[in-house]
Amino acid sequence: MSFASEVREGLGERPRRLPPHWFYDELGSRLFDAICLLPWYRITRVEQRLLARAARAMSQTAPGPGLVAELGPGNGEKLALFLGGLAGRGGVDGSRRVLLVDISPEALSAATARLAKAGIVEVTALRGPYEKGLARIARERPPGGSPLVLFLGSNIGNFEPARASRFLKDVRSALKAGDRFLLGADLVKPEKDLLLAYDDPLGVSAAFNLNVLARMNRELEANFDLATFTHRVVWNAPQRCIEMHLVSRRAQRVRIRGARLDLLLRKGESIFTEASYKYDPADLRAQVEAAGFATRRRFLDRPAAYALTLYEAVEEPGP
Ligand code: AVI
């Protein structure tokens, strides 16, 4: 669906909402990169350390994957690091086939450039939803080799639980028994740490959230006055998720010409922009295994409460 149609649909609903994938235009992608550098947002740094450990461990098990596919590669930094580690001491294996899947063209070109800088040139950048990438993986298996699918950065946390289960089953369906899946997931941790990670004192997360309104102004001829919205972050304990909202500070009317929408907002009314689910380790294991995977190795950072887990697709039970 296009930006205009998702804006029209989501902002027309009650409560009003916007799907989080629209955060990532060029400015939004850069703001997200800045979030990843913040001391309060530990996911990226911690995952990089775990990826280096995972690559070392995996490079000792033969054979290596014939294809490495990353769904949602961001700026490609983590993948370059992982592939460097996987190639071992000899450095990056530039001939390894890599597939990048993202709906953001900005992310795809940043990731492709980052990989090229690391000497990895056998890269296919596929613009589209993850499903399109999974269909490609299923269709184009490397001859004699097996694919490894990466889903990092706790991107799974941005799916509601039912959608996460469906996604895991879709990944499994694209693979054959023995293929591998590396998943990064942020775990439940103290509320104060979570609030700081999503509402940082520098205001970068607030800018990231507000940019989706600015994006509608730029691309859909909307007239949002950003100064009349507040970035609000809530820990929803029963659902185990961080919610991000944009709250209207006053009653107002906003015109979004490109989405053919006139939006009437009450004072205090919120637009729900993102849910970031945090996992309980046992629940995560059960959910991934229910999709047809076996847990092979877990790389855990206890202080940051983050898990990178290597799974292997297992035979699906017969009818
Ligand atoms: C991309 N995703 C996993 C991030 C998260 O933590 O949910 C997006 C983000 N939103 C605010 N800060 C970071």
Side-chain angles (χ1 to χ4, degrees):
M1 262 166 95
S2 68
F3 188 28
S5 44
E6 292 210 21
V7 163
R8 189 174 160 74
E9 188 179 296
L11 292 185
E13 276 178 23
R14 304 297 165 88
R16 303 190 193 274
R17 54 165 198 91
L18 282 171
H21 49 257
W22 297 111
F23 281 137
Y24 303 92
D25 64 349
E26 189 178 1
L27 179 55
S29 299
R30 286 180 191 229
L31 286 168
F32 180 64
D33 287 348
I35 287 176
C36 295
L37 297 173
L38 295 174
W40 308 280
Y41 189 85
R42 299 175 69 186
I43 290 182
T44 316
R45 271 185 310 281
V46 164
E47 191 171 59
Q48 280 174 345
R49 284 201 295 274
L50 297 177
L51 276 168
R53 268 174 58 196
R56 238 178 290 128
M58 290 168 73
S59 65
Q60 282 152 16
T61 60
L67 168 74
V68 177
E70 183 169 5
L71 308 175
N75 61 16
E77 213 168 295
K78 283 186 284 189
L79 182 57
L81 183 124
F82 175 71
L83 292 173
L86 208 56
R89 294 227 174 106
V92 166
D93 169 9
S95 68
R96 193 186 295 282
R97 280 179 53 203
V98 172
L99 174 68
L100 307 174
V101 184
D102 211 299
I103 62 159
S104 159
E106 289 82 10
L108 287 175
S109 54
T112 308
R114 181 67 193 79
L115 292 176
K117 217 166 131 192
I120 302 154
V121 289
E122 284 265 331
V123 178
T124 305
L126 187 65
R127 184 178 175 193
Y130 299 141
E131 292 75 15
K132 192 167 161 188
L134 291 171
R136 177 87 164 247
I137 295 164
R139 240 186 7 251
E140 296 178 17
R141 292 181 60 80
S146 106
L148 166 69
V149 176
L150 269 52
F151 196 50
L152 304 175
S154 202
N155 282 338
I156 191 153
N158 296 135
F159 292 156
E160 282 171 11
R163 166 98 171 86
S165 290
R166 219 179 331 117
F167 168 79
L168 292 168
K169 286 181 186 141
D170 289 347
V171 175
R172 173 63 192 89
S173 305
L175 300 178
K176 292 203 166 144
D179 293 347
R180 287 172 298 171
F181 177 45
L182 190 60
L183 176 72
D186 203 17
L187 306 176
V188 174
K189 59 195 80 189
E191 178 174 351
K192 69 169 187 359
D193 296 345
L194 286 166
L195 293 176
L196 269 173
Y198 290 85
D199 193 4
D200 61 272
L202 284 173
V204 184
S205 304
F208 173 72
N209 197 9
L210 285 159
N211 176 56
V212 78
L213 304 182
R215 182 176 184 179
M216 285 188 269
N217 288 351
R218 287 191 292 271
E219 296 182 22
L220 299 177
E221 291 178 78
N223 62 350
F224 283 98
D225 174 0
L226 271 57
T228 64
F229 287 86
T230 304
H231 166 67
R232 181 172 297 158
V233 171
V234 180
W235 170 239
N236 181 334
Q239 298 281 332
R240 290 204 208 113
C241 85
I242 278 283
E243 294 181 1
M244 281 207 322
H245 297 264
L246 289 165
V247 181
S248 177
R249 292 187 196 188
R250 54 169 159 84
Q252 58 180 311
R253 175 188 211 117
V254 182
R255 189 121 204 245
I256 313 171
R257 216 185 268 272
R260 287 177 291 112
L261 189 67
D262 251 344
L263 189 62
L264 288 175
L265 291 170
R266 285 178 283 106
K267 181 175 176 175
E269 188 167 0
S270 117
I271 302 173
F272 185 14
T273 50
E274 187 182 64
S276 199
Y277 286 85
K278 304 301 166 187
Y279 279 85
D280 165 79
D283 291 351
L284 177 69
R285 183 178 185 133
Q287 199 177 5
V288 184
E289 293 189 352
F293 290 97
T295 304
R296 286 294 173 244
R297 227 169 135 180
R298 198 167 69 143
F299 305 89
L300 187 68
D301 187 309
R302 270 182 216 285
Y306 193 86
L308 179 71
T309 314
L310 180 66
Y311 301 94
E312 187 177 309
V314 289
E315 292 295 348
E316 281 169 287

